[in-house]
Structure formats: C-alpha cells, structure tokens
Amino acid sequence: MWLYTVSDKPEWWRFEDAPETVERLHVSRKDVRRRGVLGRVPARKPADDAECPDLEFYAFSRAKFYGRAFSRFFERHGDVESVMHGEFMHVLNHRDPQARRPLRALFVREGGVVEIKEFQSGHSTYAAVLHVRRWPLLLPLLLAALLLSLTLCGSDSSPAAFLKGQTSISGATSKPVLKTSYASYSATPDIVWRAGQTRQDMTLLLPATCTVDGKEGSNPILSAPAIAVDLNNNGSFESSEVVFNSEGAYLRAGAELRHIELSKKLDSGEYAARTIWTSVLAEDGKTPAGTATFDWHLTVK
C-alpha cells in the first residue's frame, strides 16, 4: 500500500496564480481533540485545465485506518494508493487531467487541489478533491414522496369509471357502513317515453343508505345500471333488446341520473321492461357485489 497524508502547510509552487481556498475532509472528534487534525485543509483552485493534477480522491472516506471496512476493502482490491487524513483513508485514483467526463460531472463536482506527501519519503504531489453533488442525494426522498402520494391517491379513489351527469340525491346523508353483504336498490316505477327519440327522461338512483337488522348505514356499493325492453313481446329479454347500457360506468351510492341516452329509437306501444343493476364494492371498485333486477311497464307514445 502506497500511503500519503494531506499537508497542512503546503508549498504552493505549482499553483501560485490560483486562488487559495479550503477543502473539508472526513475527520472524527478524536482526530480533532487528541491529534489536532482539522477537517478544513488548505487548497487551491487550478487556474485552468492545464494545471489539473493527475491524482484525485473523494472528500468522504472509504474506511477508518485498520478498521474492519479497511481490511475488507484491501482484501477485495489488493494494494492501492491511499491518502490518510486523521484516522480515515481516502482511496487515491489516477486520471488523465485532459480527459472530459460530462456524464460524471452530473453527479460529481471537482473541488480544490490539495498537497499530499508520501508517508515514508516525504515527496510532495497534488491531488484534486472530489465531491458528490447534493441533488442525487434527494432522489430517494423524491421517490419516497412520489410513492406516498400514489398511495394516498390510491386509497381515496377507486379504479371504477362513473356515469356522466349524476347528481347527489337531495337530502342524502353519509353514515357508517354496517355490513357490506347488504345493499339497497331503487325500484323502477312505470314510465312513459317519447317515441322516435333516444334521449329520455328517467331517474336512475342508488340509495345512499340501507337498513340492516333495523339499523341504517351507508350503502356499500357502486352499481352499473342497464335497461332492457321486450321489443318483440315474446316474454323474455334478449341481449339485442338492451336499449341502455352504462358500459361498465357506475352510479355512486347517494347519487342519481335523471336523463339517459338510448342506443335505439322505440316505436309507440306498450312494453315490458327490466332494469338490471350490476354492482361492485365501493371500497375497492372491483369486488363483485351481486346483481339486482326490477321489472316494470313502459309506455312509448
């Protein structure tokens, strides 16, 4: 191992025209109290790129001298050149002073140049001190904030889509959910529609509350309504006779829809009709919560 120490009284013969500054290196309290080693050491800023030295090390330390981390590092990497400052070791690297490192410059900035002396011979040379830029240190915090915001947003919203035009039911109040195995629906009364038109006046509502064991609580579901009309009067409802389909969009509990758009125009007449409610649990917007149907009489004129 080729060992250097940082000079606290440098001889600035090479950087006489460069401004004097200081560099902060890793030290311990014991270094300061017992050995008088300072964290801020004399340094110079090179006047131009031609004066940059061909040695460099990071201001932070890899390990304490002869500590466990020190032993593991040298067992792994073998005999390397190092700079000792107090009881901490800084690995010394060789570099081409003329080389350009635009990618590294995003994460590492080059500080001042310090004088270092070979431990045994006292021979002096110069090394640039490197610092990790602060902005990469914020990335874990930004990532944690992003994950937290996604979690909070996800906890308050469901993946379900909702029907356009729905409004809150007048007088609907929010109450605690009693049991998610119970839900209430609105039965459809007999209705009159206009012949030859697709836009019809019709109220579809999902009650805000339901009653379980004599106690009233919030309706725990979202429900997607559909309407089928027995157009051929054969006594059954076929898939081709579905004239309104929410296409998987849901009505919230405590909300109502007062107008619907039919998929086809109807001729005048008397028809049997059926409202089909397909529901999911409101807490996650995807767990199936059953289906309810209501038959009613439709007049088209």
Side-chain angles (χ1 to χ4, degrees):
M1 179 180 65
W2 202 261
L3 184 63
Y4 292 83
T5 57
V6 178
S7 175
D8 58 352
K9 296 180 180 179
E11 299 176 1
W12 295 111
W13 60 271
R14 188 176 179 185
F15 299 112
E16 291 180 357
D17 297 331
E20 187 171 353
T21 180
V22 292
E23 282 292 344
R24 183 178 294 277
L25 302 181
H26 194 182
V27 294
S28 66
R29 293 182 179 179
K30 182 171 64 176
D31 288 332
V32 177
R33 289 198 308 266
R34 298 182 183 178
R35 302 170 185 171
V37 178
L38 299 179
R40 298 170 67 87
V41 297
R44 285 285 180 94
K45 284 283 189 180
D48 53 54
D49 290 343
E51 293 181 329
C52 289
D54 58 355
L55 297 172
E56 62 186 13
F57 65 92
Y58 284 91
F60 62 85
S61 172
R62 288 289 183 92
K64 287 185 178 181
F65 187 59
Y66 286 127
R68 291 183 179 179
F70 174 88
S71 300
R72 287 196 299 267
F73 177 82
F74 285 99
E75 287 176 1
R76 181 180 302 174
H77 299 281
D79 198 14
V80 296
E81 294 184 353
S82 300
V83 176
M84 185 170 70
H85 186 62
E87 61 179 343
F88 291 96
M89 306 298 298
H90 306 259
V91 177
L92 192 62
N93 298 310
H94 290 262
R95 57 100 180 258
D96 180 1
Q98 304 300 322
R100 301 290 181 180
R101 302 175 179 83
L103 183 60
R104 191 181 79 163
L106 292 174
F107 304 95
V108 177
R109 69 172 178 87
E110 193 167 303
V113 174
V114 299
E115 181 179 354
I116 57 176
K117 293 186 177 181
E118 201 277 317
F119 187 74
Q120 294 180 347
S121 67
H123 171 71
S124 294
T125 186
Y126 298 89
V129 180
L130 305 179
H131 301 267
V132 176
R133 295 191 184 274
R134 292 182 179 180
W135 73 264
L137 303 178
L138 298 176
L139 289 179
L141 295 178
L142 293 176
L143 181 60
L146 177 62
L147 293 176
L148 179 61
S149 64
L150 292 176
T151 301
L152 293 177
C153 290
S155 64
D156 293 333
S157 61
S158 73
F162 295 101
L163 283 165
K164 294 181 180 179
Q166 59 181 280
T167 57
S168 296
I169 300 173
S170 177
T173 57
S174 178
K175 297 184 178 182
V177 175
L178 300 180
K179 293 182 181 179
T180 56
S181 58
Y182 289 84
S184 62
Y185 298 86
S186 170
T188 307
D190 295 343
I191 291 175
V192 177
W193 284 353
R194 296 179 294 276
Q197 298 185 24
T198 57
R199 181 177 173 82
Q200 303 292 345
D201 296 331
M202 179 175 181
T203 300
L204 293 171
L205 64 85
L206 190 63
T209 59
C210 59
T211 302
V212 179
D213 298 331
K215 296 181 180 179
E216 191 178 48
S218 292
N219 202 357
I221 62 169
L222 306 173
S223 198
I227 299 174
V229 177
D230 186 11
L231 298 175
N232 56 15
N233 291 311
N234 66 351
S236 64
F237 296 97
E238 302 166 7
S239 58
S240 60
E241 295 177 321
V242 175
V243 297
F244 172 76
N245 192 335
S246 65
E247 302 294 342
Y250 292 94
L251 198 66
R252 293 181 175 91
E256 64 182 3
L257 196 65
R258 296 185 178 181
H259 306 281
I260 61 173
E261 192 73 27
L262 304 181
S263 60
K264 62 181 71 177
K265 299 175 182 179
L266 303 183
D267 297 328
S268 298
E270 303 289 327
Y271 302 92
R274 174 175 292 176
T275 304
I276 306 104
W277 295 90
T278 304
S279 304
V280 295
L281 293 182
E283 61 185 5
D284 61 12
K286 59 183 180 181
T287 302
T291 301
T293 60
F294 299 96
D295 292 342
W296 45 283
H297 183 79
L298 170 64
T299 301
V300 181
K301 61 180 182 180

